[in-house]
Coordinates of all heavy atoms in Angstrom, one line a residue:
G89 N -0.9 7.9 -6.2 CA 0.0 7.4 -7.2 C 1.2 6.8 -6.6 O 1.5 7.0 -5.4
L90 N 2.0 6.1 -7.4 CA 3.2 5.4 -6.9 C 4.3 6.4 -6.7 O 5.2 6.2 -5.9 CB 3.6 4.3 -7.8 CG 2.6 3.1 -7.8 CD1 3.1 2.1 -8.9 CD2 2.5 2.5 -6.5
Y91 N 4.3 7.5 -7.5 CA 5.4 8.4 -7.5 C 5.6 9.0 -6.1 O 6.7 9.0 -5.6 CB 5.1 9.5 -8.4 CG 6.2 10.6 -8.4 CD1 7.5 10.4 -8.9 CD2 5.9 11.8 -7.8 CE1 8.4 11.4 -8.8 CE2 6.9 12.8 -7.7 CZ 8.1 12.6 -8.2 OH 9.1 13.5 -8.2
E92 N 4.5 9.4 -5.4 CA 4.7 10.0 -4.1 C 5.2 8.9 -3.1 O 6.0 9.3 -2.2 CB 3.3 10.6 -3.6 CG 2.9 11.8 -4.4 CD 1.6 12.4 -3.8 OE1 1.3 12.1 -2.7 OE2 1.0 13.2 -4.6
D93 N 4.8 7.7 -3.2 CA 5.3 6.7 -2.3 C 6.8 6.5 -2.5 O 7.5 6.3 -1.5 CB 4.5 5.4 -2.5 CG 3.1 5.5 -2.0 OD1 2.8 6.3 -1.2 OD2 2.3 4.7 -2.5
K94 N 7.2 6.5 -3.7 CA 8.6 6.3 -4.0 C 9.4 7.5 -3.5 O 10.5 7.3 -3.0 CB 8.9 6.1 -5.5 CG 8.2 4.9 -6.1 CD 8.8 3.6 -5.4 CE 8.1 2.4 -6.0 NZ 8.3 1.3 -5.2
V95 N 8.9 8.7 -3.7 CA 9.6 9.9 -3.2 C 9.7 9.8 -1.7 O 10.8 10.1 -1.1 CB 8.9 11.2 -3.6 CG1 9.4 12.4 -3.0 CG2 9.0 11.3 -5.2
A96 N 8.7 9.4 -1.0 CA 8.7 9.3 0.5 C 9.7 8.3 0.9 O 10.5 8.5 1.8 CB 7.3 9.0 1.0
S97 N 9.8 7.2 0.2 CA 10.8 6.1 0.5 C 12.2 6.6 0.3 O 13.1 6.4 1.1 CB 10.6 4.9 -0.4 OG 9.3 4.3 -0.1
V98 N 12.4 7.4 -0.8 CA 13.8 8.0 -1.0 C 14.1 8.9 0.1 O 15.3 8.9 0.6 CB 13.8 8.6 -2.4 CG1 15.1 9.5 -2.6 CG2 13.7 7.6 -3.5
W99 N 13.2 9.8 0.5 CA 13.5 10.8 1.5 C 13.8 10.1 2.9 O 14.7 10.5 3.6 CB 12.3 11.7 1.7 CG 12.3 12.9 0.8 CD1 11.4 13.1 -0.2 CD2 13.3 13.9 0.6 NE1 11.8 14.2 -1.0 CE2 12.9 14.7 -0.5 CE3 14.5 14.2 1.3 CZ2 13.7 15.8 -0.9 CZ3 15.3 15.2 0.9 CH2 14.8 16.0 -0.2
C100 N 13.1 9.0 3.2 CA 13.3 8.3 4.4 C 14.7 7.6 4.4 O 15.5 7.7 5.3 CB 12.3 7.2 4.6 SG 10.7 7.9 5.1
S101 N 15.1 7.1 3.2 CA 16.4 6.4 3.1 C 17.5 7.5 3.2 O 18.5 7.2 3.9 CB 16.5 5.7 1.8 OG 15.5 4.7 1.7

Side-chain angles (χ1 to χ4, degrees):
L90 294 176
Y91 175 73
E92 290 183 21
D93 291 337
K94 296 300 180 195
V95 170
S97 297
V98 168
W99 279 115
C100 288
S101 301

